[in-house]
Amino acid sequence: MDDMTDRGARAQDQVEAIRAEVRDWETNEVANFLRKQKERKDEFFTLGDIPVRRTYTAADLAETPPEDIGLPGRYPFTRGPYPTMYRSRNWTMRQIAGFGTGEDTNVRFKYLIAQGQTGISTDFDMPTLMGYDSDHAMSEGEVGREGVAIDTLADMEALFDGIDLENISVSMTINPSAWILLAMYIALAEKRGYDLNKLSGTVQADILKEYMAQKEYIFPVEPSVRIVRDCITYCAKTMKRYNPINISGYHISEAGSSPLHEAAFTLANLIVYVEEVLKTGMTVDEFSPRLAFFFVCQADFFEEVAKFRALRRCYAKIMKERFGAKNPESMRLRFHCQTAAASLTKPQYMVNVVRTSFQAMAAVLGGCQSLHTNGYDEAFAIPTEDAMRMALRTQQVIAEESNVTQVVDPLGGSYYVESLTTEYEKRIFDILKEVEERGGTLKMIQDGWFQRHIADFAYETALRKQSGEKPVIGVNRFVDDTPDPKIHTHPYDQTTADRQVARTQRVRRERDAAKYDLLMERLVETAKDPQQNMMPVTIELVREGATMGEIVERLKAIWGTYREVPVF
């Protein structure tokens, strides 16, 4: 004990000595230099408005216990979820794709796989996202325009034709209708004779961030959370490698939030989902190893690295200390990352390649498990093949040429990064405490609390861009009157809707009407009993030719729809 006290006293003496040296440096070298040349600003802040000091030293780590930094693959996983990280296997290069019909997107998937992509990520059109069939009046003009159109199992078969789903990870970016897409995916796998326990990937399914930020919701909050619960519990029992949810900060950020709120609000949603699943009687270690996350990588390089490291630490502590997890797999935060679409510009659009490269590097140094890099033309339209190849090559250059993959967490120990990581952890837990004190996440969604925070930061950011305080190259800095080279954007195929509607109507004509009617009645009875799981009957329905829109419309009659209280 005396030896420990002596070591503690010596460490404190060293910290005080460093602080004294910093004060002397500021009084002499810094003050003398400032008399000759002032700094560019009186105060500096991260993109997320966290104050930044002139420099950082070992004294700034005094508030961070060494065990909170730790080692990769060891609790609290600050330095990475796995001990060897990219020395064993690079992150999954998962370029997102989706347009037209299943056949159209299938061609793009195969092109990207041939170019070296190692995972599939699927974008769906707006009708699919919102639960409308392609021949619904609300779908007119939108079929296959912003993503691929999926109405029936036949569309899913076309989407993944010729792709071995046991040997490639598949992500599906969809939320209010996610369980139906998951049911189609399972029905397709069973039809092909796959072992469900060999399937890997994720369906996004994170509905709470829709009410906070993205606004793609159908049903009221309670039945929507029940559906998420059903996805998690079903997959935990039947699909051992599959992530039944991708809890997403990306859309919170893209709606305009600060990086801090992206992180904290995502963990607030996590807590709701875990609590809901625990109510079913499952233990936390039965399902939490397959929880996954999705974050953005914004422009502030070191802030993003610190954000990812802090998220891992916070998640580990939440799962262990709040929910009693014992399995280390339950405490490892694993995340997909996408570079920031909101940072892309139409003016001087090739600068987007540079933006995306730095954001991708920050995601890798922050320890992502999979990554999508945006195409340089995504400010205009769905990316072209050329833009997607460049985006994929960006990841491949980082992985194959930069050598940053040789060392696990190479920025670990940086005075600035470690200090900012700890600051992020503190601020995240402060926000989570405030949410609980105000009544919890669901109540605060209904009150518009999260929405106001996102809107306020988005408004402040817009003002800063307008004034030039927040630089955007080509927009408010280094504006060039020379026209950009003509850009060739991805064309929309005008035959898409006709081809898609024809297949949907064919499926309706050819299905067994009696089986369909019986299963629809089972769907209604299942929906009325919150204790039952929605997945089994939905799988049977899509197998028998039910469309997504038919399932959604029947449930709207039971659950109703969500109407948001406006936030000003």
Side-chain angles (χ1 to χ4, degrees), residues 109-133:
F109 282 161
K110 289 174 178 174
Y111 170 79
L112 289 168
I113 291 169
Q115 295 298 319
Q117 174 173 290
T118 54
I120 289 174
S121 191
T122 316
D123 239 347
F124 300 93
D125 70 358
M126 190 57 68
T128 304
L129 291 172
M130 301 304 295
Y132 292 109
D133 286 337

Side-chain angles (χ1 to χ4, degrees), residues 170-187:
V170 175
S171 171
M172 295 186 285
T173 304
I174 195 158
N175 297 287
S177 50
W179 93 101
I180 305 175
L181 265 293
L182 176 58
M184 291 180 185
Y185 188 72
I186 292 169

Side-chain angles (χ1 to χ4, degrees), residues 35-78:
R35 280 192 283 271
K36 294 183 289 185
Q37 183 175 324
K38 288 177 65 67
E39 291 181 325
R40 290 181 288 111
K41 295 185 286 188
D42 293 334
E43 295 179 291
F44 288 78
F45 297 88
T46 67
L47 185 146
D49 279 344
I50 293 177
V52 177
R53 291 192 284 279
R54 183 174 288 113
T55 195
Y56 290 78
T57 69
D60 293 297
L61 301 188
E63 302 302 316
T64 302
E67 60 270 22
D68 270 2
I69 299 173
L71 290 167
R74 179 173 289 183
Y75 183 87
F77 305 102
T78 306

Side-chain angles (χ1 to χ4, degrees), residues 37 85 126 156 203 257 273 526 541-542 559:
Q37 183 175 324
M85 291 296 287
M126 190 57 68
M156 189 71 78
V203 62
S257 86
Y273 297 136
T526 302
L541 267 167
V542 299
W559 292 335

Side-chain angles (χ1 to χ4, degrees), residues 1 38 54 100 110 155 211 218 231 264 290 307 335 401 435 465 485 543:
M1 178 64 76
K38 288 177 65 67
R54 183 174 288 113
K110 289 174 178 174
D155 299 325
Y211 301 106
I218 301 172
C231 289
R290 298 319 309 174
K307 179 185 77 178
F335 73 99
E401 296 185 14
V435 169
K465 287 180 180 178
R543 189 184 291 127

Side-chain angles (χ1 to χ4, degrees), residues 451-472:
Q451 296 92 314
R452 278 192 294 275
H453 278 286
I454 294 169
D456 287 348
F457 193 83
Y459 181 64
E460 291 167 10
T461 300
L463 292 179
R464 289 170 180 171
K465 287 180 180 178
Q466 189 176 33
S467 69
E469 180 186 350
K470 177 177 170 49
V472 182

Side-chain angles (χ1 to χ4, degrees), residues 62 71 107 124 151 189 324 416 486 522:
L71 290 167
V107 173
F124 300 93
D151 299 331
Y416 178 38
K486 182 175 174 57
R522 271 186 53 198

Side-chain angles (χ1 to χ4, degrees), residues 421-478:
T421 299
T422 298
E423 182 67 20
Y424 250 77
E425 177 194 9
K426 175 183 178 299
R427 292 185 182 221
I428 288 169
F429 279 124
D430 284 347
I431 291 170
L432 293 177
K433 181 180 178 184
E434 182 179 358
V435 169
E436 288 214 2
E437 289 173 346
R438 288 175 174 267
T441 299
L442 299 185
K443 180 180 184 298
M444 300 312 292
I445 286 174
Q446 300 284 3
D447 291 347
W449 185 84
F450 297 101
Q451 296 92 314
R452 278 192 294 275
H453 278 286
I454 294 169
D456 287 348
F457 193 83
Y459 181 64
E460 291 167 10
T461 300
L463 292 179
R464 289 170 180 171
K465 287 180 180 178
Q466 189 176 33
S467 69
E469 180 186 350
K470 177 177 170 49
V472 182
I473 305 303
V475 176
N476 61 21
R477 298 277 180 94
F478 309 110

